[in-house]
Amino acid sequence: MKIVLIGYMGSGKSSVGKKLAGVLSLPFKDMDTEIEKNEGISVPKIFSEKGEVYFRKVENSTLKKLLQLPDSFVLATGGGTPCYGNSMETILKSKDTVSIYLKVSIPVLASRLFAERTHRPLLAHLLSEAELNDYIRKHLFERNHYYGQANNTIDCSTGTIDEIVGKIVLKLF
Ligand code: S3P
């Protein structure tokens, strides 16, 4: 089985994914790490040197390659992965694949992302938490169309990583 975690930046896809993979004894894969391995440079560098359009193309082809593997794994996607090209459709049509949206409220995302926004190409220009809050609200409005198509949605605004993993396991089995 492939378990694909989707959700906004800061929603906990990587930390929840690693823990979930451990609980289920499955390998863990992270979309940004896979892209960085294939491209040989960091995601912020891909954005600044090659541009976002190039990044989205690589992201889409990396997703397709991963989902074509016969293996089982837990995949933490990037926040934008399901929102470009036919990526969400690809996830939904992939064999033996379950998608899970880790849903987090806007104020919780803004407070989590404010301190680390400088490492994130899409957020680095935002100067205050209020501005970040506003950006996330607009961005999520566009992205909810894709996130909302996931097979399952888990409310992750509160609760520890272990509790969130527990909720996912309950949904899966
Ligand atoms: C992005 C999210 C990032 C990374 C890139 C773009 C997005 O991944 O792929 O900076 O468009 O939301 P994380 O969600 O893992 O931070």
Side-chain angles (χ1 to χ4, degrees):
M1 182 195 269
K2 293 177 181 54
I3 300 167
V4 178
L5 302 181
I6 69 173
Y8 203 71
M9 291 172 268
S11 60
K13 302 178 295 291
S14 299
S15 34
V16 168
K18 273 181 207 154
K19 196 80 194 222
L20 178 66
V23 167
L24 301 178
S25 301
L26 290 175
F28 171 73
K29 292 182 188 294
D30 180 270
M31 176 63 80
D32 281 0
T33 310
E34 294 293 319
I35 292 172
E36 289 177 342
K37 256 198 288 183
N38 294 342
E39 293 290 302
I41 54 169
S42 71
V43 167
K45 275 222 151 130
I46 300 175
F47 268 77
S48 63
E49 290 177 9
K50 302 188 170 184
E52 182 173 354
V53 173
Y54 177 82
F55 175 79
R56 297 304 175 193
K57 281 189 189 151
V58 174
E59 188 176 42
N60 179 274
S61 62
T62 306
L63 175 74
K64 285 182 176 157
K65 274 185 219 146
L66 287 171
L67 293 181
Q68 273 162 18
L69 296 172
D71 326 19
S72 289
F73 52 77
V74 175
L75 171 66
T77 60
T81 306
C83 313
Y84 293 87
N86 59 356
S87 296
M88 192 63 211
E89 198 189 334
T90 303
I91 294 169
L92 291 171
K93 287 189 174 160
S94 168
K95 226 176 70 196
D96 203 20
T97 299
V98 181
S99 50
I100 299 172
Y101 170 33
L102 305 188
K103 187 173 182 176
V104 177
S105 73
I106 297 165
V108 172
L109 287 173
S111 75
R112 282 189 198 166
L113 289 167
F114 188 63
E116 42 157 293
R117 73 196 184 292
T118 48
H119 311 295
R120 297 177 183 271
L122 296 176
L123 308 178
H125 65 288
L126 299 163
L127 298 175
S128 66
E129 196 169 321
E131 219 181 297
L132 176 61
N133 202 85
D134 214 40
Y135 178 90
I136 296 172
R137 188 169 43 75
K138 289 177 190 148
H139 212 189
L140 265 181
F141 183 73
E142 294 162 12
R143 289 186 168 186
N144 277 339
H145 168 70
Y146 301 95
Y147 295 156
Q149 294 177 48
N151 301 129
N152 294 287
T153 296
I154 305 279
D155 186 350
C156 301
S157 298
T158 57
T160 63
I161 292 176
D162 283 337
E163 284 164 351
I164 293 167
V165 168
K167 284 192 203 172
I168 296 176
V169 171
L170 277 180
K171 287 253 182 192
L172 288 175
F173 302 103

